[in-house]
Amino acid sequence: MNSQNKSKHKALGLLLLAFIAPVVIAKLVLSLNLYHGGATNHGELISPETSYASLGVENSNPKEWQLLYLLPTKCNDACRERLYILRQSHTALGPDQARVEPLILTHPDSDLNALSTFNFNTRPANADLSKWLDEQQLIIVDPLGSLVLRYPQVQGKEAHLAQGKALIADLRKLLKLSRVD
């Protein structure tokens, strides 16, 4: 009888351990910050939420996603590479090209000669929006005018190509999940 009680207690202990151990381990992992939630986006999420309205800019194409780039005063090789990646990324979207517009923002002393080999729409940028784009970064804007993702300046052809692939992956995901058409 005594061995039967021991086996019952052993079975009950194993059963409790099987259900309680995962909860305790999960609590420890989370409290010690050993788990970092996975993000599937490649660009940097822009927070706090910023929109055209908060920057005092009118959304020129409210039905389309936009890729913004501020043309600098002197367009060097990195700038030209950025423009090339922007064009290629837009082309790589295939049938979704019609839903995305690459938009080059300019200020009075921008190097417009750099755009001679590209066919981009341009628009003048106001001071607040220029502050957001001052470091030759690309920004994805949704059809509602919210600035969503930022891609910082990178150096080197390989880094530009990798960033172009990341931009395409993020855009495809956003276009797939978008409920705003």
Side-chain angles (χ1 to χ4, degrees):
M1 189 103 180
N2 202 7
S3 80
Q4 198 174 23
N5 265 348
K6 283 184 180 180
S7 66
K8 283 183 183 178
H9 289 298
K10 188 176 183 180
L12 181 63
L14 287 173
L15 187 64
L16 285 174
L17 184 66
F19 286 101
I20 294 175
V23 173
V24 171
I25 291 171
K27 176 67 177 160
L28 282 173
V29 166
L30 290 175
S31 65
L32 296 174
N33 290 326
L34 298 175
Y35 174 76
H36 305 288
T40 59
N41 58 304
H42 301 283
E44 299 171 12
L45 194 60
I46 295 176
S47 61
E49 185 177 322
T50 306
S51 66
Y52 277 154
S54 68
L55 296 172
V57 178
E58 182 183 331
N59 189 355
S60 60
N61 290 335
K63 301 271 188 218
E64 294 181 352
W65 288 80
Q66 297 169 20
L67 290 170
L68 300 183
Y69 179 69
L70 179 66
L71 194 62
T73 49
K74 184 178 184 304
C75 192
N76 56 15
D77 289 338
C79 168
R80 290 190 203 317
E81 189 69 32
R82 205 86 162 135
L83 291 170
Y84 175 76
I85 293 298
L86 186 60
R87 180 182 67 192
Q88 293 301 97
S89 299
H90 185 252
T91 304
L93 289 173
D96 286 329
Q97 280 182 31
R99 295 178 63 194
V100 179
E101 179 196 13
L103 185 62
I104 306 300
L105 300 174
T106 61
H107 43 77
D109 51 342
S110 287
D111 185 7
L112 296 176
N113 294 329
L115 296 176
S116 62
T117 57
F118 301 100
N119 188 20
F120 290 125
N121 291 333
T122 60
R123 187 174 83 195
N126 72 357
D128 291 334
L129 190 54
S130 293
K131 288 178 189 173
W132 272 93
L133 296 162
D134 64 348
E135 297 162 4
Q136 292 195 22
Q137 55 193 346
L138 293 170
I139 292 187
I140 296 178
V141 181
D142 71 7
L144 300 175
S146 297
L147 282 64
V148 181
L149 289 172
R150 170 187 309 154
Y151 297 86
Q153 169 75 19
V154 292
Q155 298 298 324
K157 189 172 183 93
E158 294 300 319
H160 275 102
L161 291 173
Q163 194 173 60
K165 289 178 183 178
L167 176 70
I168 293 166
D170 285 345
L171 268 173
R172 284 193 174 135
K173 194 177 304 170
L174 287 169
L175 291 169
K176 179 182 175 185
L177 298 174
S178 174
R179 294 185 182 162
V180 180
D181 286 325

